[in-house]
């Protein structure tokens, strides 16, 4: 969380007893859940993993999602038919967020504009969601991730 | 736009994924974008070159492939907001070994820039958006 006064709050916790649902679209662990709505347009994220960072946020996509190719995969290796591994990226370039994050007992509303990116690294799944509430004027929004 | 570069063991390949939406509709998607760090500074804490300015080119086409849709984003005047040590929870001795043996020392820079210029070109229509918040 980046605060307007320059304060930064960061939380990273290990997940225990994690698993996916049958469709492999939702994910949960002890004190954590990431659930895709039935109509596939929103994710609800809840976390009590860190008592100083309580999360209850819903991200709803507002434009069509985006991926490259059939499945958004980048394959690694010399044989296209038998890749050593892959990473996968799917984007919700424009979305809205609703809900709150409670930092050290202080509750902050996080309603605003969001982007949501699914980055699946090899065999280790990782959902990356970014909340971004700054909009350029003239109706343009730019997102850049450089790794 | 998202770009990543694979480690030398995978040939240092660069993969770029980019898109442009206007009024909620996808206008162009491409894998031919480029990102260049035009100004960097060596960060003694991480050993990486921290970006201070960069230029991104979208190099796209319209969905029917007939019209050039290109965006150029230039940002400069970096104000670094946050540096995250991705291996913060790994014991120092293991971190040092992995960094030395394999070159793995992952960090995440989140940077905001004080100056931005965006040019969006679609056929012969040019839309230009500039934001310049540098102190004069």
């Amino acid at each position: 969380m980046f605060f307007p006064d320059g304060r930064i709050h960061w939380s990273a916790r290990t997940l225990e007893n994690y698993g996916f649902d049958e469709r492999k679209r939702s994910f949960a662990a002890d004190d954590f859940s990431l659930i895709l709505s039935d109509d596939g347009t929103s994710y609800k994220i809840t976390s009590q993993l860190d008592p100083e960072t309580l999360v209850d946020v819903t991200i709803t996509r507002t434009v069509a999602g985006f991926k490259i190719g059939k499945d958004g995969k980048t394959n690694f290796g010399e044989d296209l038919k038998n890749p050593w591994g892959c990473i996968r990226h799917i984007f919700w370039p424009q979305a809205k967020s609703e809900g709150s994050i409670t930092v050290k007992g202080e509750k902050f509303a996080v309603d605003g504009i969001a982007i949501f990116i699914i980055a699946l690294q090899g065999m280790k799944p990782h959902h990356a969601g970014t909340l971004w509430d700054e909009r350029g004027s003239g109706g343009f929004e730019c997102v850049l991730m450089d790794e | 736009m998202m770009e990543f570069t694979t480690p030398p063991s995978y040939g240092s390949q660069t993969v770029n994924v980019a898109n442009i939406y206007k009024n909620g509709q996808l206008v162009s998607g491409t894998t031919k974008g480029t990102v260049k760090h035009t100004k960097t500074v060596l960060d003694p804490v991480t050993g990486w070159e921290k970006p201070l300015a960069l230029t991104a080119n979208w190099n796209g086409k319209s969905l029917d492939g007939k019209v050039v849709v290109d965006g150029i984003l230039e940002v400069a005047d970096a104000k670094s907001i946050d540096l995250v040590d991705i291996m913060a929870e790994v014991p120092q001795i293991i971190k040092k070994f992995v960094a030395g043996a394999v070159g793995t020392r992952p960090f995440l820079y989140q940077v905001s820039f004080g100056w931005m210029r965006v040019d969006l070109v679609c056929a012969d229509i040019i839309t230009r958006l500039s934001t310049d918040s540098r102190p004069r």
Side-chain angles (χ1 to χ4, degrees):
Chain A
M1 295 252 307
F2 298 102
F3 292 90
D5 63 6
R7 247 191 320 154
I8 297 172
H9 179 76
W10 170 265
S11 175
R13 287 289 182 277
T14 312
L15 297 170
E16 313 272 356
N17 297 319
Y18 50 84
F20 289 90
D21 69 336
E22 319 80 53
R23 284 189 311 154
K24 303 267 198 275
R25 295 281 185 268
S26 296
F27 176 85
D30 287 349
D31 293 316
F32 179 86
S33 71
L34 178 67
I35 311 281
L36 182 65
S37 64
D38 287 336
D39 64 3
T41 62
S42 69
Y43 271 102
K44 188 168 158 73
I45 306 167
T46 62
S47 172
Q48 300 96 47
L49 286 165
D50 176 3
E52 293 193 343
T53 314
L54 302 173
V55 178
D56 183 4
V57 173
T58 300
I59 310 269
T60 306
R61 69 170 171 82
T62 51
V63 299
F66 179 84
K67 66 178 192 280
I68 294 284
K70 252 193 337 192
D71 54 17
K73 279 189 187 167
T74 303
N75 293 307
F76 286 68
E78 297 198 351
D79 182 356
L80 267 180
K81 292 203 183 64
N82 293 298
W84 180 86
C86 69
I87 51 182
R88 189 169 182 233
H89 293 93
I90 301 185
F91 305 84
W92 282 359
Q94 288 175 22
K96 66 173 194 241
S97 69
E98 289 155 306
S100 66
I101 298 181
T102 303
V103 176
K104 298 181 185 163
E106 204 182 337
K107 192 169 179 178
F108 295 93
V110 290
D111 303 330
I113 300 167
I115 61 166
F116 196 74
I117 301 169
I118 292 172
L120 211 86
Q121 312 275 4
M123 303 305 287
K124 298 184 178 91
H126 171 68
H127 281 78
T130 309
L131 295 178
W132 182 48
D133 63 357
E134 192 184 22
R135 186 200 283 268
S137 62
F140 289 95
E141 287 170 34
C142 288
V143 180
L144 181 73
M145 255 173 77
D146 183 14
E147 297 171 17
Chain B
M1 176 184 292
M2 182 205 67
E3 180 176 283
F4 63 90
T5 303
T6 60
S9 51
Y10 277 100
S12 300
Q13 299 284 311
T14 297
V15 174
N16 184 295
V17 172
N19 58 57
I20 297 177
Y21 279 65
K22 189 166 180 190
N23 297 327
Q25 298 294 316
L26 179 68
V27 169
S28 170
T30 177
T31 57
K32 303 242 185 310
T34 60
V35 176
K36 199 160 149 218
H37 293 181
T38 51
K39 192 165 172 213
T40 65
V41 68
L42 181 62
D43 182 345
V45 171
T46 65
W48 292 106
E49 293 278 339
K50 189 167 85 173
L52 300 176
L54 61 85
T55 300
N57 279 280
W58 263 247
N59 296 324
K61 287 208 169 77
S62 56
L63 296 185
D64 60 9
K66 294 194 178 138
V67 170
V68 166
V69 176
D70 193 10
I72 298 172
L73 169 74
E74 260 190 82
V75 288
D77 188 22
K79 303 169 202 309
S80 161
I81 303 183
D82 196 17
L83 169 66
V84 177
D85 178 355
I86 293 177
M87 286 171 70
E89 286 155 67
V90 175
Q92 190 67 12
I93 191 166
I94 296 180
K95 257 181 18 182
K96 274 197 152 71
F97 172 74
V98 170
V102 196
T104 298
R105 45 184 210 285
F107 290 90
L108 177 70
Y109 286 105
Q110 302 214 65
V111 189
S112 94
F113 296 92
W115 178 83
M116 176 179 86
R117 178 180 79 89
V118 176
D119 278 346
L120 188 66
V121 177
C122 181
D124 46 10
I125 303 163
I126 296 178
T127 307
R128 173 164 288 135
L129 168 71
S130 287
T131 306
D132 191 339
S133 55
R134 282 175 299 189
R136 293 183 198 285

